[in-house]
Structures are given as C-alpha cells and as structure tokens.
Amino acid sequence: MTAHGFAHTPARPAAIGAFPLQGFRPFVRKELVEWIRSWRAVILFGVATAMMVLSTLSARFAELTAQANGVPVPADLSLDPTLNVIAKWPEWLFFFAIVFSVNLLIVERDRGTLAWTLSKPISRTALLAGKWTAGMIAFVVFGLILPMAACVVAAIVAYGMPDLGTVAVATVLLAATPAFFFALTLAAAVVLPSQPPVAGVAIAVAIAPGILGTFVPGIAEALPPSIGPWAVLFAVGAPVSAVTPIAWAVGTIAAAVFGIAMLRRADL
Amino acid sequence: MTATSQPAIELTNLTKRFGSVTALDAVTFDVPRGSIYGFLGPNGAGKTTAIKILAGLTHATSGGATVDGIRASAEGAHRRSLGYLAQEPRFYDWMSGRETLRYVAGFYDGIDHPERRADELIRLVGIADAADRKVKTYSGGMRQRLGIAQALVGRPSVVVLDEPAAALDPIGRRDVLELLRALRSEATILYSTHILEDVQRISDHVAILDHGRLVRAAATQDLLASFSTDRLVVVLGGASDSTAVDVATLPGVAGVTIAGPSNGGLGFEVATRPGAGDAAQAAITRYAADHGLVLISNQREVLDLESVFLRLVDPQEVAA
C-alpha cells in the first residue's frame, strides 16, 4: 500500500437529500450480470424450455400413444397449435417464479452483501426495486419469451402454425404472474429468516385460489395468482372477469409497499 | 455554522436498544473536520453499533447522527459523503477485485472514469497482482485491503472504518496507518481499533466507549496530559543508593524507589504529595546542583494511551 501521489480530493460537495431510487441503475446492472454469471438464467431457460416444450407436445404424444395402442383418441384432446402453446403455462409459471425468486434477497442477507451494498449511496427502496426489476427482466427473457419461442417451434412441427398474435398477447399478459410472485417472495424475504418459510408463504398463496375456490364460489378470480389462467383466457378471446387484474394489481402493489416499508425499518 | 466549522460527524444523544439491552446510551460527541479520530472501547462497548448507525445500516432508538451535515438514515443521502469499511467486509465472491471497485464506483455521480479510479485504488492498497482474480480466492488480508479501497472509491469527505487493521499482518498494518495519515488533509477519518499504540501514534482525537456510554472524548494529547501522575521519573548522574534517602526528605516528596541504572545515571521513581509535583521537581533540581550530581531527567511520568484506557474502562484499574 502506498499513499504517494494518491489523489483523494472529494469529488463534489455533498448533495442534500436522497431521491427514492438513488443507486437503482448500478444495482440493476449488477443483478443482471449476476443472473447470467451465476448460471441462474441459463438453468431457468433450460428448465422452463424443457418443461413447456414437453407440455406443448403432450397432446400429440397422447394422440400417438392412443393410436399405437389401438384405442380411440380422447374426445377432449385438442390439437389446436395455439392452445397447445399457451394453455399449460399458468400451471407451471408460478412454480418457476417461486423457485427462481425465493433466494434472491435471503442469499444477499446471509452472505453479508446486502449490508455492504446498502453502505453505498443506494436507498433501500432502490435496492428492492432493483431486485424486482432485474429479476423480472431476466425471468421474462429466459423463463418466458425464449421458452415460449421454443414452444412455438415445437407446435409448428407437431401441429402446424399457431396464431402468433394470440401467443404474443398471452406472453405479455403471462408476465403478470412472475411480477406478482417476485414482489411476494421479496417482501416475504425481508421479514422471514430463511428460504423454506419464504417458499412456504409463496406456495400457500399460489394454491390459495384452488383451495379457497372449493369453499367460496367466485373467490378464486379475486385472488392475484389467478392472473395466469386469466391471461390465457383473455388472449384466446374467452370471457374473463375484470376483478382478477384488479386483484393482481392490488396484491402486487401491496406486497411491494409492505416489502419496502419493512426493509426501511430493518437493522442490518 | 459554516461548512468548514461544522463537525464532519456529530453524534447527539445517540441511543440504541436491542430489547432490554442498551447498546448505546445517549452518546454525544463531535468529530472535527480533518481529524483522525480513534474510536475505542472494549468488546461489546457499542463501537460497531454506533458505526452502523453512521453508515445508515442500523436505526437509532433515539438521538441521531449527521455526516457532513446530513442526517444519517437508512435511505442514505449522507452516504454520498461517506466511505465505510465494515468489521468483516463481505463482497460478491463472483466478482474480481477490480469489478468490485467498478461496481461501487457506479453509485457515485462524480466518478467520471470508474476504470481509472479502480486502477488507482488497486495500486494504492497493493492488490494489483490479484485485481482480476475472483474475490473468493482472496485471503483475509487482501479482503481487508479491498475493503479499504472500496471505502475510498467515491472520494468521500468522511471515512469510517471499523477495525481496518484487524486482519492485517504488521506490514499491512503499517501501510494502513500510512494511508490514513496521507488521507488526513483530504478526509475526516473515524476508525475503531483495539491497537492503542496505533491510535496514540496517528489519532489527534479519541473517544472511549464502555458499556454503551461515552467515557471520554478529547484531543489525544489533552487526554494523556490529564492523566499525568503524581510521580516523577528522575535520573541523576553520579548518584548512589544513598541519594534515595536524601531525595525522600525533600519538600513535596512522598517516597522514592530506586529504578536502577538508566541513561548513564541512576534512575529513581519519586512519588510526590498531591499538588506538590512542581515543588518536588524544583527541590530535586536544587538538590542535584548542591550535591554536584548531573540532572539527566526530572520529568512527570506520562501514561501512554493503553494505561489511560485501562484506567478508564478496566474495573480493577478504576477501583485502584
């Protein structure tokens, strides 16, 4: 270590006051690089593509299996290319979103880098917003758009050309599912001590529409996780409830506000 | 208050409680601009808690702190003026040292050339050979050096370091002290440490905490002077053991102990009566002249910082 010739003159006078997203950009940049360099993005792409391409092809497999066994093809089996591309996404998307978001904040806290980053000129709001934004960008690209493109290719081979407009609308709307679950797991991670309880909360919320819907008719469409099926129905032009997107927006914003408020109060 | 007269750091009735435990109890002191300020205390005294509040990582229960006139808070406006090194610095293991510094530079508006700034700091802290290696391969000492570099990236006007030399070997420790000295003209430095010798060597001010309470905050020399004792260190050339008997009878002298040969003479530890130190010194000077002895030394004993620290915080010393 040598101090000779070292210039340290403070760069500028201190600015008074912080804006809420101070430090957002460099943090998002770091997060995106981490998604790539930790192989998280590649693993997400591989898992999502494998699962969803198989789901896309499942109707054709069912048809071929029935023919091979000499039994009639099930009457409700649809070989519509567009439906086979998009219909199974709501069943899996929440699962991918939970798995790939549950450790985002917990790991930072456990390894001490959360406190280290927050010792720089970055607000806690910006840190949480940056986690969500980078996570969404990476997830939508590697867990939704690219696997969806692979599903389209698989559908072309197996069934014929899908309606790309419908697929595009569904892709955009399906992004609402990770948007909600990323906000939920980040908020839960602020107040819960480790990954298992965070995952537990997220899974409980994800399956709530299915369970509560059996007891309270109509409640399912008023719960944020129903946004996945809603997105597919909307994309294919089926009648949909106006309550679901409102519930999704309220749920996502509430999770974000709760997470930010709790992180701002936390001692690190 | 002008920008230059305003303290670089102000702690005002800073209090932090963790449940029923009071980690900081109404701690109040100022860190003058341009000073190197040693922050001392035994383990658990509250130093790290106070430093974390300054960094905006922990909330005060009551009272507050400012850095460069800006209130320390979780939202972190004050951190544009603050460089901070944690007690156990943690970094992203997948980044190299150079990437770590570039990442930190991204948070500061005034860094026009982050790459150049990173290079400058890599050279400064002596990790050039390892700059492009992943941080997970770094030794504790290298992490500490990287930690010091990242604290300086934003050219902060205030630098707060929590035990910056803790993981360093003697060479690294010497280098850190040199660096702190070099920064003196550009930045205010508050640092905690257990190495009191270092503090005495480079700090112009010290604050001592114990059990969350501020025991003393003062200029280092003033603090040491306030602990000058009722003892004189006397060395007389040509003296013998019988000299001690004569000296013991001099005005103001309460007792004499022979310390042994010292600096070409015989050394004595002279206890003086309370408030009679000056009279005893004068009497010893006269005695030496009257008896043809060479007065090599006739000084009040001055405690070093370690002794002062122990007197202030060690229950046994306090009781004594």
Side-chain angles (χ1 to χ4, degrees):
Chain A
M1 227 179 286
T2 171
H4 296 299
F6 171 59
H8 178 82
T9 308
R12 71 238 159 272
I16 305 295
F19 69 98
L21 290 180
Q22 165 181 259
F24 175 79
R25 263 201 324 191
F27 187 69
V28 168
R29 209 179 306 136
K30 187 280 296 179
E31 283 286 300
L32 289 174
V33 172
E34 191 169 8
W35 268 88
I36 302 292
R37 285 176 49 175
S38 67
W39 294 88
R40 205 186 304 155
V42 175
I43 293 167
L44 170 62
F45 170 71
V47 171
T49 302
M51 293 296 297
M52 298 320 299
V53 166
L54 285 174
S55 293
T56 300
L57 297 174
S58 62
R60 178 61 76 195
F61 289 149
E63 183 197 44
L64 293 173
T65 304
Q67 288 170 351
N69 292 332
V71 297
V73 175
D76 59 347
L77 188 69
S78 170
L79 297 179
D80 178 80
T82 307
L83 276 183
N84 276 294
V85 169
I86 63 175
K88 299 281 174 49
W89 275 89
E91 294 172 23
W92 289 102
L93 197 55
F94 79 89
F95 175 73
F96 299 147
I98 292 172
V99 168
F100 283 87
S101 65
V102 74
N103 69 348
L104 285 179
L105 197 67
I106 297 277
V107 166
E108 288 254 18
R109 194 172 61 200
D110 288 351
R111 68 188 176 190
T113 48
L114 182 66
W116 175 60
T117 292
L118 283 172
S119 73
K120 308 301 164 220
I122 177 173
S123 71
R124 296 186 180 197
T125 306
L127 184 133
L128 216 52
K131 279 265 171 210
W132 184 88
T133 303
M136 278 299 293
I137 292 170
F139 190 91
V140 167
V141 171
F142 293 97
L144 183 55
I145 293 176
L146 294 178
M148 186 69 83
C151 290
V152 169
V153 172
I156 292 170
V157 172
Y159 310 105
M161 192 68 185
D163 178 352
L164 294 181
T166 301
V167 172
V169 170
T171 304
V172 170
L173 294 178
L174 281 168
T177 294
F180 170 72
F181 280 102
F182 270 64
L184 179 68
T185 54
L186 285 172
V190 172
V191 292
L192 296 174
S194 60
Q195 292 183 39
V198 174
V201 166
I203 290 168
V205 171
I207 63 176
I211 293 174
L212 294 178
T214 60
F215 300 110
V216 187
I219 189 79
E221 66 186 28
L223 296 173
S226 297
I227 197 68
W230 182 93
V232 171
L233 291 173
F234 183 91
V236 298
V240 290
S241 167
V243 174
T244 306
I246 295 171
W248 167 83
V250 169
T252 305
I253 292 168
V257 169
F258 175 78
I260 290 168
M262 296 311 287
L263 186 61
R264 288 176 70 163
R265 289 176 53 184
D267 283 342
L268 299 169
Chain B
M1 202 178 281
T2 65
T4 48
S5 65
Q6 184 181 47
I9 297 173
E10 289 177 282
L11 274 62
T12 308
N13 289 321
L14 194 63
T15 301
K16 177 65 180 178
R17 291 190 196 91
F18 296 102
S20 60
V21 176
T22 301
L24 289 173
D25 189 0
V27 173
T28 299
F29 68 88
D30 294 345
V31 176
R33 202 165 286 276
S35 61
I36 299 181
Y37 208 108
F39 197 27
L40 312 177
N43 289 333
K47 305 184 297 293
T48 295
T49 301
I51 285 175
K52 280 187 165 184
I53 291 172
L54 282 173
L57 297 175
T58 296
H59 298 270
T61 305
S62 63
T66 65
V67 173
D68 219 9
I70 307 169
R71 188 172 177 81
S73 72
E75 286 308 292
H78 70 291
R79 290 194 288 257
R80 293 179 202 149
S81 305
L82 179 72
Y84 165 69
L85 170 67
Q87 194 170 11
E88 292 177 23
R90 303 289 174 87
F91 309 108
Y92 295 107
D93 282 347
W94 53 272
M95 287 186 186
S96 68
R98 190 186 306 279
E99 286 169 336
T100 300
L101 297 180
R102 278 193 214 143
Y103 167 58
V104 174
F107 289 107
Y108 296 90
D109 299 334
I111 308 298
D112 296 329
H113 303 286
E115 312 248 338
R116 203 181 300 164
R117 182 66 179 155
D119 286 345
E120 185 183 30
L121 289 164
I122 284 164
R123 281 196 304 275
L124 178 77
V125 300
I127 56 168
D129 292 344
D132 295 310
R133 268 172 35 200
K134 287 188 175 170
V135 171
K136 67 180 171 193
T137 68
Y138 281 24
S139 66
M142 289 165 76
R143 279 176 179 265
Q144 198 77 3
R145 286 166 183 262
L146 179 62
I148 291 169
Q150 61 82 36
L152 301 177
V153 165
R155 296 195 178 94
S157 57
V158 177
V159 180
V160 176
L161 309 168
D162 197 354
E163 301 200 27
L168 296 174
D169 57 24
I171 296 170
R173 200 179 115 203
R174 180 202 63 197
D175 292 346
V176 167
L177 294 183
E178 259 181 42
L179 179 61
L180 297 187
R181 275 206 189 100
L183 287 171
R184 183 198 293 267
S185 59
E186 307 290 352
T188 304
I189 297 161
L190 172 72
Y191 74 109
S192 72
T193 182
H194 289 294
I195 308 169
L196 301 179
E197 185 190 334
D198 294 348
V199 178
Q200 186 164 353
R201 209 184 314 164
I202 69 162
S203 302
D204 29 41
H205 290 75
V206 293
I208 298 174
L209 281 188
D210 188 27
H211 292 97
R213 292 188 178 173
L214 183 68
V215 176
R216 196 67 67 90
T220 310
Q221 291 311 317
D222 291 349
L223 178 67
L224 295 175
S226 71
F227 276 82
S228 63
T229 64
D230 293 330
R231 299 171 79 87
L232 302 176
V233 177
V234 177
V235 180
L236 297 170
S240 63
D241 289 357
S242 63
T243 307
V245 179
D246 293 343
V247 171
T249 64
L250 294 174
V253 174
V256 179
T257 308
I258 299 170
S262 172
N263 293 333
L266 186 60
F268 303 91
E269 288 179 6
V270 179
T272 62
R273 299 183 195 289
D278 291 345
Q281 266 183 309
I284 290 168
T285 303
R286 274 197 307 276
Y287 172 84
D290 293 348
H291 293 78
L293 302 174
V294 179
L295 188 61
I296 298 170
S297 172
N298 181 13
Q299 295 177 334
R300 280 176 188 268
E301 181 185 60
V302 177
L303 294 180
D304 61 11
L305 189 57
E306 185 167 333
S307 305
V308 170
F309 176 81
L310 289 173
R311 283 195 177 195
L312 287 170
V313 303
D314 181 15
Q316 290 177 347
E317 291 273 344
V318 172

